[in-house]
Structure formats: C-alpha cells, structure tokens
Amino acid sequence: MAVSQNDSVTWLTQEAYDRLKEEYDRLSGPGRIEIAKKIEAAREEGDLKENGGYHAAKDEQGKMEARIFHLRQILDSAKVGEAPRTEGVVGPGMTVTIRFVGDEDEVTFLLASREESGAPIDVYSPKSPLGAAINGKKIGDKATYTMPNGRSITVEVLEAVPYIGN
C-alpha cells in the first residue's frame, strides 16, 4: 500500500520549529557534555553496583538520548508553514468541532502536531486514533475509532475551519 508523502510530514509553525531546534542543539551539545561529566564524577566515587548517583545519571542520559532521537525525527520530517487546508475538510492546521454520536457533548480542538502545544486550545495529533479517523472527513461525516481501552466510539464532524491562532 502506497503511503502519501503528506503522511510523514510534521507541519510546524516557525516558532515551534525554532523551539524544538534550540532544544535539540542544547541537548545534543552542552547537554551531552554535562551528563558525561555527571557520569564520570559518579564513576569516580567507587563501586558502581551500589552507586545511586551513577545509576541516576545513566538513567538521565538514556532519557536525554531518547528525546534527542525523537527531536531529530521531528525536525527531519518537519515542514515550516501551514498544511494545505480546505474549509469544511478535516486536516492538519484545522480547528475541528466534533460531536460524540449518542451524546450531545461537543469538543473543539486544533488538529496539529503535538509539538504545537503553545496553542490556546487543545491539540490533537493527526496520528492519534481520533485524528487519524477524522482526517479527510467533511462536515456531516461520521467516523469510528478505537479508544485505548478497546471501545469503539463514533463521532460526527460538525465544523472544520482553518486555525487562525491567538
């Protein structure tokens, strides 16, 4: 099955891209040097089996390396700007309002990368179960997705408009 080029793109605002790039540069440069110094200092304390400082520093190093790897993946697939948007069609960069079928509850959120967490409304990833189910749907369309607890839930798209910002 062919995967659309758009599926692997992470759309970011310039602000989000700059923030992630700065974090990547800090962690992969000075951050690595700092954690190496912590590990070396703890190693000099002696027996590594019972050295809590050493194990804590190694754990911190593992978490930092995982974040560096994740940031690199995001930055490598990032496009700065706005995803192509069509009013009335759900897609990245759209403010979406849905209603849970069988319920009157409505939820409005921005469909975008989780790295756009500075938005004043909730952000749902297009790769999340809900985001993937509604991506490409039009107003009035229904979509069913499986929640983490295994239950299926159906939603109806009520609105999809380009996100304006603050």
Side-chain angles (χ1 to χ4, degrees):
M1 182 161 127
V3 176
S4 147
Q5 180 72 23
N6 234 9
D7 290 347
S8 61
V9 171
T10 301
W11 291 94
L12 296 172
T13 60
Q14 186 66 54
E15 175 188 18
Y17 182 88
D18 291 346
R19 180 173 36 85
L20 295 175
K21 179 77 170 92
E22 185 275 328
E23 181 183 359
Y24 174 81
D25 290 345
R26 182 175 36 80
L27 290 177
S28 63
R32 281 182 169 150
I33 293 168
E34 184 181 313
I35 197 68
K37 286 179 182 175
K38 282 184 184 178
I39 291 170
E40 188 56 37
R43 184 178 283 138
E44 290 173 3
E45 292 174 10
D47 185 7
L48 297 182
K49 282 186 197 171
E50 297 178 16
N51 188 329
Y54 173 80
H55 293 290
K58 289 295 282 182
D59 187 48
E60 184 181 342
Q61 180 186 40
K63 289 176 183 174
M64 187 177 74
E65 289 300 326
R67 179 65 178 162
I68 289 169
F69 180 77
H70 182 69
L71 289 169
R72 183 78 263 154
Q73 285 185 309
I74 292 169
L75 293 169
D76 285 348
S77 69
K79 284 202 177 191
V80 176
E82 297 181 353
R85 304 183 296 189
T86 304
E87 187 149 345
V89 179
V90 177
M94 301 294 280
T95 301
V96 180
T97 302
I98 60 165
R99 181 177 56 79
F100 293 94
V101 173
D103 195 341
E104 292 307 311
D105 286 349
E106 293 181 8
V107 177
T108 300
F109 54 89
L110 169 62
L111 189 66
S113 166
R114 295 277 176 151
E115 303 303 332
E116 294 290 350
S117 59
I121 63 174
D122 288 339
V123 177
Y124 285 52
S125 169
K127 296 175 184 173
S128 69
L130 173 59
I134 64 173
N135 200 8
K137 299 288 186 197
K138 296 176 176 64
I139 293 173
D141 286 354
K142 292 185 175 138
T144 302
Y145 69 99
T146 304
M147 296 189 313
N149 67 7
R151 283 187 41 226
S152 289
I153 190 159
T154 302
V155 297
E156 179 182 0
V157 177
L158 301 178
E159 185 176 53
V161 296
Y163 177 68
I164 306 296
N166 301 349

